Amino acid sequence: MNKPRIVIITYDWPPRNAIATHRPYSWARYWKEAGAEVVVLTAKKQPFDQPLDLHLPSPSGVRVIEAPYESPAGPFTFLLKSERLRRLAKVIKSAWKRNSHFVLDPRAPWRKAVQVHVTRLAQWADIVVSSFGPPATHLIGSDMKVANPGLFWLADYRDLWSQNRSVGDSIELLEEIRRSELKSVGAHADLLSAVSKDMVEKLECLMSKRVIYNPNGFDVDEEEVRRRLANPLDVPEPPLRIVYTGKIYEGFHDPKPVLDALVFLLQSGKIADGMITLDIYGSQVEPIEALAKDPRYASFIRFMGHVPRDRALDAQRCAWLLLLLESSSAEARGILTGKLYEYLTAGRPIICVGSRQDFEIGQILRTTGTGMVVDPKDYSNIPDLLMNTLKGGGLMAIYSPKTDEILKYSRRRLAYSLFRELIEHWRRQGN
């Protein structure tokens, strides 16, 4: 049998330093290893895509087409090289989203720019896989399916589209986005995949199509993970670092419950000044800057900013505790941030604040034995939890990593699993 020919459509690709980049990158790498011919269709990155410092080796034997496009910002995009101006642009975009009835999407023109490749790739490929977002990924996938109805199209969701909590409050805008999703994915996709079970259920309800569960994962060598998890857990020397790596979305991710607990412990004389810090790594600084100006919190917060990926992973492994932040709203039931899977391999206890114990984050922490969720109703228990952890109880006592459960989230295993399902469905369709 001939090798299956697969086109992966993804905006997120090196050098864009985003957790979303690693999912399609692992597919390209391991599907080629599994015997497929793979082409990646991506975009030449823009200043607003920064940071652009993720330098991964190009997967051997994989052809990458990086299509340039003109952003609506046009000649002003060079201004977005400034961190301050990028932050201002995000504020303007958020205000626009709240008050407008149409989407301001600077990446939308990428769809038109790749049309020169669409017809040719549609005729060459057996399978096309588009990984959302931005929406252009699925719209290009739909274009390829229309160009060649014999193609098998898998529409992958790392995030939801019209059902996303960040879409905004405008009913008119929501309906417009939903129509676009149904006219593309709903009308033409052969199969869908999603990173959480809750997303699977929501997409099946919306699309009335088969959706398979394929979560995010980690790309650490499995033997290295086994070694880390086999090491005995200890309390590091002060300062004890509570480490958070990733983005903070105001209104959804709130570190204040942890900071309030640290303030209480300091004021009650249970910890000394400088004994515990909250170290935050990431490029979104606005919410942290506001907290750091509060004199109650200033001595605890250490904002490290954006650092190379290796340094962020090192920080996770050297932490006292690893912090996850999420919302307790019903919409967040199935949200599983990519850093969760990095945390699982770090060999340190995880405390998740803001989610709920029956949400998927809580389920994964329980089944892997790596940490716990503190519900909003239990925030008053955080000071005691931290003190008990200092004494060897608390999170230290419940931390009992189940290696086999954790290794289920190896990106290599997940990529091979999705490949097998993808090929099986493609063959059932008569190929």
Side-chain angles (χ1 to χ4, degrees), residues 7 9 65 84 95 112 157 212 228 262 264 277-278 338 384:
V7 173
I9 304 169
I65 301 173
R84 181 171 295 181
K112 183 178 180 180
Y157 283 80
I212 57 178
R228 291 179 191 173
L262 294 175
F264 174 82
T277 64
L278 174 57
D384 285 341

Side-chain angles (χ1 to χ4, degrees), residues 165-218:
R165 65 188 179 186
S166 67
V167 165
D169 299 323
S170 167
I171 300 299
E172 295 89 341
L173 177 59
L174 177 60
E175 287 303 317
E176 179 187 339
I177 294 172
R178 184 165 292 157
R179 282 194 297 272
S180 181
E181 184 173 17
L182 291 174
K183 284 173 63 177
S184 55
V185 178
H188 301 298
D190 297 291
L191 182 67
L192 282 69
S193 59
V195 298
S196 76
K197 295 174 183 176
D198 182 69
M199 287 174 61
V200 167
E201 293 177 5
K202 288 177 177 175
L203 288 166
E204 285 178 338
C205 183
L206 177 67
M207 302 287 188
S208 299
K209 289 179 180 284
R210 173 76 190 278
V211 187
I212 57 178
Y213 169 57
N214 189 265
N216 279 312
F218 61 83

Side-chain angles (χ1 to χ4, degrees), residues 371-428:
M372 65 180 292
V373 170
V374 181
D375 279 31
K377 63 181 176 60
D378 296 324
Y379 284 169
S380 61
N381 297 333
I382 295 178
D384 285 341
L385 176 63
L386 295 180
M387 280 308 300
N388 289 335
T389 302
L390 267 174
K391 297 172 183 177
L395 285 158
M396 291 287 180
I398 69 168
Y399 184 77
S400 180
K402 298 176 176 59
T403 303
D404 289 343
E405 287 294 325
I406 292 171
L407 290 177
K408 290 179 181 178
Y409 298 106
S410 158
R411 286 201 189 272
R412 186 178 188 278
R413 294 191 186 195
L414 291 168
Y416 269 85
S417 174
L418 183 58
F419 181 75
R420 288 191 294 269
E421 284 203 68
L422 182 58
I423 298 303
E424 180 182 344
H425 283 278
W426 171 58
R427 286 176 178 165
R428 277 189 206 157

